[in-house]
Amino acid sequence: MAMQLEDIPTPAFIVDRHVFKQNCKVARAAAFKNGIPRLRPHVKTHKTIEGCIIQSGIDSAGEESLADVIGFVVSTLPELSMVVKLGCEYKRKPFTDVIFGIPICKSKLPSIQSMLEELTSATDGEGCIHVLVDNPQQVVFLEEFVEQHASDENPQGWSVFLKLDTGYHRAGTTCDEVGVKLACQVINSAHLVLKGLYTHCGHSYNIQDSKAMKVTTNQDHSMILGFLNSLRSHLNFSQTKFDVTSLIISVGSTPSMFSHDNALSIPNIELHPGNYVFYDRQQLWTGACSSEESIGGFVLCRIIGHYEDEHRNAIMVDAGATALTKESTPQGNMCSVLGRPDLECYRMSQEITMIRCKSEDGVKCFPFQEFPLGSTVLLIPNHSCLAAACFDKYHVVDGGITPVSTKSEVVETWSPVKKW
């Protein structure tokens, strides 16, 4: 007999596979419609083999009006190892073209090099792992690593994406002469190949207005074009031969993915969203996720407390910060109850969350009879990437025509890769 969600131990992370697949198809369709023919999904949200295969689109090969999935982005060594194993198995894109999506540090190079050798050996030299650079010292230690480990029989080099800051002000070199100088340092290196530019539209997470979102994505593209023009002028002045139009331009984020287009005709542009597979409460606020029907990741929990006194008038559930994290969102509070906009998750501790009615005067009586002790509810995390990372197993349902509920049957389990 199939197990229902209400039968499994809590807290637990729940994936709606049907919604996951739909979200992947919608992202590819939107990119294609907006003139961006290539998608490079990020795997950091789900961290699973099953999720990668769905994101890859290999089951929808031949469908028209969808962007091609040409590669992946990862953030950790276990994520990279997972995609590399898929690359060795499938021996084809998108599994054989991977960007290690945080600025490279020296300590990770031996592991990445080992995985690169494994991938290229399995794919007759076709596989590639790209590293991100945003500091001149990174170029130096990449070159030193090659010089220390390369030989005539085993020549080595690194494929590099230059990380640009186009407004988020987190990682990335500036789009001025400093960035141009760094790009030229890579171009002029005997051991490195400048493969592309990478930007992250992370400031879009704080934007809810569609017009403001469009302004942000247009600014992102304009700064990239300005950088390319400055780089081209510098290369021409120094008589350095390099085809700037060959660079891959990787842009985007989940909240901005529907606003990126290619009106400025940027060559070789691709989109790299990640959170879109699950969405979450933050994306309901930005509008990237249009409704709860597109939420693909939840935290299942049990009701463990009824407090009917006038001071609390609330229930307690057995999922707290260690299952959801305390990541904030513009809406406030810690998470929300699926299908119950009348309730708010107003207080969280390490292992518990308190839920009460939304009421301006604070006197509305909580419907305790609808939430018996021991029954289960589904919570929508503020940030699904962080909530999912709290679990070593996902219980998967297949919503389809019937929306996910605590009565949904578990069809399989996924095991995300862990650690760094």
Side-chain angles (χ1 to χ4, degrees):
M1 184 176 178
M3 181 180 292
Q4 296 181 335
L5 290 185
E6 64 183 3
D7 299 324
I8 65 178
T10 52
F13 194 81
I14 310 303
V15 173
D16 187 331
R17 186 175 62 188
H18 173 78
V19 170
F20 192 114
K21 290 180 178 179
Q22 285 297 111
N23 289 345
C24 288
K25 184 172 285 190
V26 167
R28 293 177 64 196
F32 185 88
K33 181 180 178 181
N34 290 338
I36 301 178
R38 296 151 40 111
L39 202 74
R40 183 186 294 271
H42 209 307
V43 309
K44 70 182 182 66
T45 299
H46 61 86
K47 299 174 181 280
T48 63
I49 289 174
E50 295 87 348
C52 286
I53 292 172
I54 295 172
Q55 282 181 306
S56 74
I58 58 176
D59 292 334
S60 58
E63 290 190 34
E64 297 181 354
S65 302
L66 296 176
D68 292 329
V69 181
I70 50 78
F72 285 102
V73 186
V74 303
S75 288
T76 67
L77 293 176
E79 290 170 14
L80 179 59
S81 178
M82 173 183 69
V83 178
V84 166
K85 284 181 171 59
L86 286 169
C88 294
E89 177 183 351
Y90 284 88
K91 297 178 173 57
R92 53 163 285 189
K93 288 186 177 183
F95 307 110
T96 55
D97 195 304
V98 194
I99 296 176
F100 191 77
I102 59 174
I104 192 62
C105 67
K106 192 173 184 178
S107 64
K108 292 183 171 65
L109 292 181
S111 296
I112 296 176
Q113 181 62 39
S114 177
M115 285 185 264
L116 178 59
E117 290 172 359
E118 178 185 2
L119 182 61
T120 54
S121 175
T123 59
D124 295 325
E126 293 299 316
C128 192
I129 299 173
H130 315 279
V131 296
L132 285 190
V133 162
D134 63 1
N135 187 288
Q137 294 182 44
Q138 295 162 336
V139 176
V140 173
F141 68 64
L142 283 169
E143 291 178 318
E144 290 175 347
F145 184 89
V146 174
E147 291 169 356
Q148 292 168 6
H149 295 85
S151 65
D152 292 338
E153 295 78 19
N154 185 28
Q156 297 181 8
W158 293 102
S159 178
V160 170
F161 273 68
L162 185 69
K163 180 69 181 288
L164 292 178
D165 175 17
T166 56
Y168 188 31
H169 306 318
R170 189 175 66 178
T173 186
T174 49
C175 296
D176 52 17
E177 64 276 5
V178 175
V180 169
K181 184 177 180 180
L182 180 56
C184 290
Q185 185 182 359
V186 176
I187 290 170
N188 291 323
S189 171
H191 304 302
L192 310 181
V193 175
L194 184 61
K195 189 68 175 180
L197 308 179
Y198 190 99
T199 72
H200 176 53
C201 212
H203 41 314
S204 63
Y205 279 76
N206 296 318
I207 300 173
Q208 188 178 35
D209 179 73
S210 59
K211 291 182 179 179
M213 188 73 77
K214 193 65 180 176
V215 169
T216 298
T217 56
N218 286 345
Q219 180 186 42
D220 181 68
H221 294 188
S222 295
M223 292 181 72
I224 291 168
L225 279 178
F227 181 83
L228 288 171
N229 289 332
S230 296
L231 177 59
R232 184 182 293 108
S233 297
H234 185 91
L235 293 170
N236 289 339
F237 181 79
S238 62
Q239 297 184 330
T240 302
K241 291 184 178 181
F242 183 83
D243 184 7
V244 173
T245 64
S246 69
L247 293 174
I248 297 169
I249 310 301
S250 195
V251 303
S253 65
T254 289
S256 67
M257 71 178 178
F258 295 109
S259 296
H260 285 279
D261 59 34
N262 200 16
L264 299 180
S265 299
I266 297 176
N268 307 318
I269 190 170
E270 63 182 35
L271 199 60
H272 55 241
N275 175 273
Y276 71 101
V277 295
F278 289 156
Y279 287 126
D280 50 32
R281 220 168 145 246
Q282 174 93 34
Q283 300 313 323
L284 284 169
W285 181 84
T286 66
C289 180
S290 59
S291 72
E292 289 186 353
E293 293 178 359
S294 294
I295 299 291
F298 310 90
V299 173
L300 179 75
C301 59
R302 271 190 172 75
I303 296 156
I304 58 173
H306 276 193
Y307 305 98
E308 301 183 31
D309 57 277
E310 62 178 336
H311 299 291
R312 289 172 289 185
N313 187 30
I315 61 173
M316 178 187 290
V317 297
D318 64 349
T322 55
L324 290 147
T325 78
K326 286 191 174 183
E327 182 85 346
S328 62
T329 61
Q331 306 101 304
N333 292 324
M334 308 302 178
C335 52
S336 61
V337 180
L338 176 65
R340 295 301 298 251
D342 57 320
L343 304 180
E344 63 178 354
C345 303
Y346 70 100
R347 183 177 178 183
M348 180 183 285
S349 300
Q350 182 171 328
E351 306 296 350
I352 62 96
T353 294
M354 302 293 291
I355 303 173
R356 66 186 178 189
C357 289
K358 291 180 181 176
S359 177
E360 292 183 2
D361 56 16
V363 297
K364 184 178 179 180
C365 183
F366 190 90
F368 292 99
Q369 70 282 0
E370 297 180 37
F371 298 89
L373 282 172
S375 63
T376 51
V377 294
L378 288 163
L379 302 180
I380 301 175
N382 281 356
H383 191 165
S384 60
C385 306
L386 300 186
C390 296
F391 297 86
D392 59 9
K393 178 169 64 176
Y394 307 156
H395 297 270
V396 181
V397 300
D398 206 349
I401 297 174
T402 305
V404 64
S405 74
T406 59
K407 298 291 185 181
S408 297
E409 292 185 350
V410 177
V411 296
E412 62 183 3
T413 57
W414 296 354
S415 297
V417 295
K418 306 298 290 183
K419 300 184 178 179
W420 300 272

